[in-house]
Amino acid sequence: MDFKQLEIFVALVQNESFSIAAKELGISQPTVSLQIKQLEEELDTALFIRSTRELKVTEAGILLYKEAKTLLTKRDRVMEKFGEKNQNRIVVGVSKIPASYILPKILLDYRKMHPNISVVIKETNSVQTIKKVSDYLVDLGIVGMEKADENCDFAPIFEDEFVFICPNTEYYRKLKDSNPTVADLVKEPFISREQGSGIRNKMDAIAKEVGVNHEDLDVVLTVNDDMLVKKLVKIGVGTSFFSKVAVEDMIEDGSMLAIPITESKERYRNLYACWNKKVTLPKHVSDFLDLILKSGDR
């Protein structure tokens, strides 16, 4: 088995046609057939069910497809790391809140140190970012939670506080003046982030302090974008537990209200630098990590 066979196999699964896969790869259809036949013989299993009308992937083929995609992605990543044009590049994985409120100052400082280094930002939620760091698909990560992973190390860089955010209406102004408890607040209609988000993780932890699970909340919407959550809260679609640093400007201009949740032990969270501890980082990458770690001292 080699990478070329896996490329052909993946193209065939995705296109469900020998002729289309061959055209996409720039090779002949008999070559595709021969490589797939050799792969099936080497693995001693059928990867496709062939008929005159259609081509179906077997269960073994589906399993191989997942593994092949991972292997090819890692192969491409290795080629990128050692390609001459990418010696002057760093890829940073980052979750939503750090991307907007922590990363910009770090990028500014890094550009002063390394003006010739290109920085690529890959923004996903915390769980996905940690997975990318673990698989070395990104050089470093900045995330809103820790997650056990044998390949990853974490270091706290910023303490974030959560508050209850709501529209600036008469109802919520009165609610704020009444000094509500968390038990009172979790009865309100909520806008939630998707699973895997550090914000969702913290929201659920705060609610659980008063015996309320996520399924018990009145969740009117689940979205995967922080900016959209803030806009929806502002216009009155719902409320949320949210990072204070991400809404300070809207609180100051009066476009939304924030109610402190001082009774909650879960209202604080750390943002973390994350890196693959099994990889020796190039100097331009370790310089970026040093800046991230020092950002926590400001």
Side-chain angles (χ1 to χ4, degrees):
M1 182 191 306
D2 57 33
F3 284 121
K4 189 61 180 176
Q5 285 180 317
L6 293 179
E7 285 178 341
I8 293 172
F9 169 73
V10 166
L12 187 55
V13 172
Q14 293 175 339
N15 290 288
E16 299 180 337
S17 164
F18 282 89
S19 60
I20 296 175
K23 184 177 180 180
E24 178 181 288
L25 295 170
I27 58 178
S28 67
Q29 186 171 330
T31 298
V32 174
S33 299
L34 177 61
Q35 291 295 322
I36 295 301
K37 182 174 183 297
Q38 291 177 346
L39 186 59
E40 289 180 321
E41 289 176 351
E42 183 176 349
L43 297 175
D44 194 25
T45 188
L47 301 174
F48 296 95
I49 300 173
R50 303 161 176 82
S51 72
T52 55
R53 291 181 298 176
E54 60 182 350
L55 183 70
K56 288 186 176 180
V57 186
T58 64
E59 288 189 14
I62 292 171
L63 291 174
L64 179 61
Y65 176 73
K66 294 177 181 177
E67 295 293 337
K69 287 282 287 180
T70 299
L71 286 171
L72 290 172
T73 298
K74 289 184 177 180
R75 187 273 316 264
D76 292 344
R77 182 65 177 142
V78 169
M79 295 300 292
E80 285 182 5
K81 294 298 293 182
F82 290 95
E84 182 178 345
K85 68 178 181 179
N86 291 307
Q87 291 297 317
N88 292 323
R89 189 175 86 145
I90 179 171
V91 183
V92 182
V94 62
S95 59
K96 305 284 184 175
I97 296 298
S100 297
Y101 304 98
I102 303 298
L103 191 57
K105 180 60 168 65
I106 296 170
L107 289 172
L108 179 62
D109 291 343
Y110 188 73
R111 287 289 297 161
K112 293 176 182 176
M113 294 172 56
H114 297 285
N116 297 321
I117 301 293
S118 171
V119 181
V120 179
I121 306 301
K122 301 286 188 179
E123 186 178 323
T124 54
N125 67 39
S126 292
V127 169
Q128 292 168 336
T129 297
I130 293 167
K131 182 67 165 61
K132 287 179 182 294
V133 172
S134 179
D135 292 339
Y136 201 42
L137 299 177
V138 298
D139 294 297
L140 300 167
I142 309 177
V143 294
M145 58 188 287
E146 281 188 287
K147 185 176 184 293
D149 189 293
E150 64 178 1
N151 296 326
C152 293
D153 261 346
F154 297 85
I157 58 171
F158 181 82
E159 186 178 66
D160 192 15
E161 181 182 359
F162 271 62
V163 293
F164 176 84
I165 58 171
C166 51
N168 190 355
T169 63
E170 182 178 358
Y171 170 82
Y172 284 108
R173 287 192 292 271
K174 288 182 178 178
L175 180 64
K176 183 176 182 179
D177 291 341
S178 71
N179 295 316
T181 64
V182 172
D184 296 323
L185 297 175
V186 294
K187 297 175 184 177
E188 297 297 317
F190 269 81
I191 299 169
S192 176
R193 280 290 309 275
E194 82 285 5
Q195 282 190 327
S197 159
I199 287 181
R200 164 70 178 272
N201 190 55
K202 182 56 65 174
M203 171 188 286
D204 290 350
I206 293 169
K208 281 184 179 179
E209 285 185 301
V210 293
V212 176
N213 294 319
H214 188 84
E215 307 79 54
D216 301 321
L217 294 171
D218 179 15
V219 176
V220 295
L221 277 174
T222 299
V223 300
N224 65 352
D225 183 86
D226 293 333
M227 187 61 69
L228 182 55
V229 173
K230 293 192 290 184
K231 288 180 178 179
L232 291 169
V233 170
K234 177 182 175 180
I235 65 174
V237 174
T239 64
S240 190
F241 290 124
F242 213 74
S243 166
K244 185 177 180 181
V245 70
V247 293
E248 284 179 336
D249 56 339
M250 300 180 76
I251 297 169
E252 289 177 3
D253 68 21
S255 56
M256 74 164 55
L257 296 178
I259 300 177
I261 47 175
T262 53
E263 68 180 284
S264 170
K265 296 179 181 178
E266 291 285 350
R267 71 183 185 277
Y268 293 109
R269 69 161 179 174
N270 284 318
L271 302 181
Y272 296 90
C274 175
W275 64 96
N276 192 313
K277 62 187 176 184
K278 296 183 179 178
V279 172
T280 300
L281 300 177
K283 186 178 186 308
H284 69 286
V285 176
S286 62
D287 285 346
F288 197 97
L289 177 59
D290 286 343
L291 281 177
I292 297 174
L293 297 176
K294 289 176 182 176
S295 70
D297 298 332
R298 294 168 187 164

